[in-house]
Amino acid sequence: MSSANEIGATPAAVEAAAFDAATAAVQAALAAGARYADARVVDRRHESMTARDGDVRTLDQTASVGLGVRALVGSSWGFAALGDPAGDAEARATGARATAIARASAAVPGPPMELVGVPAVQGGWSSECLEDPFAVPLAEKAALLTGVTATMKAAGVAVAEALHQAWDTRTAFVSSEGARIGQHVVETGAGMHCLTLGDGETQRRSYPAFRGQYGTRGWELVREIDLPAHADRIAAECQELLTAPQCPSGDTTLILGGEQMSLQVHESVGHAIELDRILGWEAAFAGTSWLDLSQLGSLRFGSELMNITIDPTIPGALGSFGFDDEGTPATARDAVRDGIWVGVLAGRDSAAVAGLPYAGSVRADGWARLPMVRMTNVGLEPGPHTLEEMVAATDGGVLMEHNRSWSIDDRRLNFQFGCEIGWEVKDGQRGRMLKNPSYTGIGPRFWQSLDMLGGAAPGEWRAWGTPNCGKGQPGQVGHTGHGAAPARFSGVRVGVRG
């Protein structure tokens, strides 16, 4: 696969016929009265395999190709989609239909919707893929998943499961402003977990994360996480949790592992800084945000150790791309700098409404969905400390790792998280294992209590992949990335019940 996280010639894998269909749709939308239009032809393959207790349980292989067209009339968007476009006539009809929908939506007069300007790029981008996941034999994939689940099952757990997933997506994007962009993105991931049953309780251990680890990479990612090397360990820890003491309740120092920090960032920062939520456009289903645009650039979100970036250029991270689904080139920018809220995730329309000069965070779940503001790679930059230093500096507290449950209100403000495993920290030492660890907080108060941040040791900071971010009506599943390292917070309520 052609290489490399850089803008260059249009990938050869994006066929000329796809650009022809997208161009025809845009031309028809303009002819029907749209003042702006864009079209995407998306060709995607997906494969997933699951195993349980030493046997393959499911194998799903799907493929789809289709055309999605946006048209802007006045202040309103229209969107129309068509599966398997067979020729220019069908593509033109889809473009005209998108304009008709926009015109109907614009029946009530309003000021024209402005769009933040972007360069009209003619080029392309491909993610790096060293080993095509679709070329790896199914027998090899099955042997990996059945092998690790058999190992965990033999160690005495009640249920052992593993999975892998892969996507291969080719996109042809054309806009009425002159953009013509091809992208080829390969995404791959895998993971495993096991369950043990006790007297009225269930314990779980996962590796490498709650739903596995994913990235815009090939099968080399699966080989690197090395599931077999960790199967015995997580099975043993899962069983040990049954006899471990409960996580105590109270306010204490909390140390979170990097995987849990990635979800903390996702839920309490990433969703909160989505501009459509802040503007109230997402209030019906996904909720809004506690953030107020009048405080952008001045609001203290967290301590000075808190630096959050929006960066779709990180090589191999799951939220990486060359261009978003509006044709905006991938660009890194700050969301929080030295604890101050300074940036949002925006689209061309929402940014214009908010008076901001940038977009770049709009994506769709395939050809049949309207692009919307989505997280890219929203991550916490590495800090000056190590996990070892955090433990050594803690007289009393709890270390928690790996997410098990989450709950957060529709303003992304009040939250409660449960983790799979915890350890007591006492007199600068990691002590006994604790089960059912949990913590709760209020977003800015929690982030302002951040007093130590890892990343100084090799491997502590990692771009974790989340392949199941839900948003929108009809629902869309987004792929996002979150760089994170272990972190320490003071005065956090832990051991919450219910």
Side-chain angles (χ1 to χ4, degrees):
M1 191 143 325
S2 67
S3 58
N5 298 318
E6 62 183 22
I7 296 173
T10 299
V14 180
E15 297 181 358
F19 284 105
D20 292 343
T23 299
V26 168
Q27 292 173 344
L30 295 177
R35 61 188 182 89
Y36 170 84
D38 58 38
R40 295 172 299 114
V41 174
V42 182
D43 186 344
R44 174 176 290 169
R45 285 191 294 164
H46 174 241
E47 177 182 284
S48 68
M49 178 186 292
T50 66
R52 177 183 295 177
D53 301 339
D55 297 312
V56 172
R57 292 302 177 96
T58 65
L59 172 62
D60 295 317
Q61 295 174 311
T62 61
S64 70
V65 60
L67 167 70
V69 187
R70 296 193 311 171
L72 183 59
V73 175
S75 61
S76 298
W77 286 106
F79 177 75
L82 173 70
D84 295 318
D88 282 1
E90 287 186 338
R92 290 182 179 278
T94 305
R97 187 163 66 252
T99 297
I101 293 169
R103 181 174 292 109
S105 300
V108 178
M113 175 74 74
E114 300 300 329
L115 302 177
V116 168
V118 299
V121 174
Q122 297 192 6
W125 186 87
S126 294
S127 62
E128 184 177 68
C129 177
L130 302 181
E131 185 176 6
D132 183 357
F134 293 89
V136 177
L138 287 175
E140 180 180 341
K141 298 169 181 173
L144 172 66
L145 301 186
T146 58
V148 295
T149 57
T151 296
M152 292 186 288
K153 186 69 174 179
V157 301
V159 177
E161 295 183 324
L163 83 161
H164 92 81
Q165 293 192 84
W167 297 263
D168 186 305
T169 306
R170 295 166 169 83
T171 304
F173 174 86
V174 173
S175 81
S176 59
E177 296 172 335
R180 180 185 173 93
I181 300 167
Q183 290 200 90
H184 185 193
V185 178
V186 175
E187 302 161 303
T188 312
M192 62 184 178
H193 70 267
C194 57
L195 303 173
T196 54
L197 305 178
D199 185 11
E201 67 175 311
T202 301
Q203 296 298 331
R204 173 189 175 108
R205 284 296 285 129
S206 306
Y207 175 82
F210 176 58
R211 283 189 171 91
Q213 170 66 324
Y214 296 83
T216 53
R217 300 181 60 195
W219 194 253
E220 67 272 10
L221 182 152
V222 179
R223 297 195 191 281
E224 287 174 13
I225 62 177
D226 196 1
L227 298 180
H230 299 269
D232 282 322
R233 175 182 61 82
I234 71 164
E237 289 178 351
C238 196
Q239 292 173 298
E240 188 178 350
L241 282 167
L242 289 176
T243 56
Q246 290 277 355
C247 177
S249 299
D251 294 347
T252 191
T253 299
L254 172 66
I255 303 173
L256 293 178
E259 186 267 352
Q260 176 59 30
M261 280 300 300
S262 73
L263 186 67
Q264 182 72 55
V265 170
H266 179 100
E267 297 292 348
S268 69
V269 181
H271 279 306
I273 63 172
E274 291 168 338
L275 185 53
D276 55 350
R277 289 178 183 268
I278 296 171
L279 294 173
W281 295 0
E282 267 293 297
F285 180 67
T288 58
S289 171
W290 66 275
L291 293 169
D292 185 330
L293 274 177
S294 67
Q295 297 178 301
L296 184 64
S298 62
L299 174 74
R300 177 155 292 284
F301 202 128
S303 77
E304 292 185 354
L305 287 171
M306 184 186 187
N307 293 294
I308 300 284
T309 58
I310 300 166
D311 189 359
T313 70
I314 298 173
L318 190 62
S320 294
F321 49 79
F323 304 85
D324 77 348
D325 284 344
E326 293 187 304
T328 304
T331 303
R333 60 176 46 89
D334 289 338
V336 178
R337 178 55 53 185
D338 299 328
I340 304 299
W341 175 44
V342 295
V344 298
L345 295 152
R348 297 183 65 186
D349 53 1
S350 57
V353 167
L356 301 174
Y358 57 85
S361 300
V362 166
R363 292 190 289 167
D365 179 12
W367 55 267
R369 293 290 183 263
L370 178 68
M372 64 193 304
V373 174
R374 300 306 303 261
M375 280 181 258
T376 60
N377 297 312
V378 179
L380 182 63
E381 288 188 350
H385 308 111
T386 68
L387 177 59
E388 182 179 344
E389 289 172 345
M390 291 178 220
V391 171
T394 302
D395 293 330
V398 179
L399 166 62
M400 301 184 189
E401 290 186 349
H402 285 78
N403 182 258
R404 183 169 180 175
S405 65
W406 65 94
S407 176
I408 191 164
D409 68 14
D410 62 2
R411 296 179 65 219
R412 299 287 149 170
L413 184 60
N414 299 280
F415 60 81
Q416 177 178 322
F417 290 98
C419 295
E420 290 183 352
I421 192 168
W423 289 271
E424 182 180 58
V425 178
K426 190 173 182 179
D427 299 328
Q429 299 289 327
R430 184 190 301 209
R432 58 182 180 166
M433 181 184 292
L434 301 172
K435 67 181 176 183
N436 303 325
S438 60
Y439 65 99
T440 187
I442 300 173
R445 186 181 303 170
F446 176 80
W447 284 103
Q448 288 169 31
S449 75
L450 173 65
D451 62 8
M452 296 186 77
L453 178 60
E460 280 192 342
W461 187 94
R462 178 185 295 188
W464 296 93
T466 300
N468 61 307
C469 178
K471 186 179 178 183
Q473 290 177 291
Q476 299 192 37
V477 177
H479 296 180
T480 67
H482 306 287
R488 194 183 81 161
F489 302 83
S490 61
V492 179
R493 176 63 55 89
V494 306
V496 292
R497 301 287 182 259

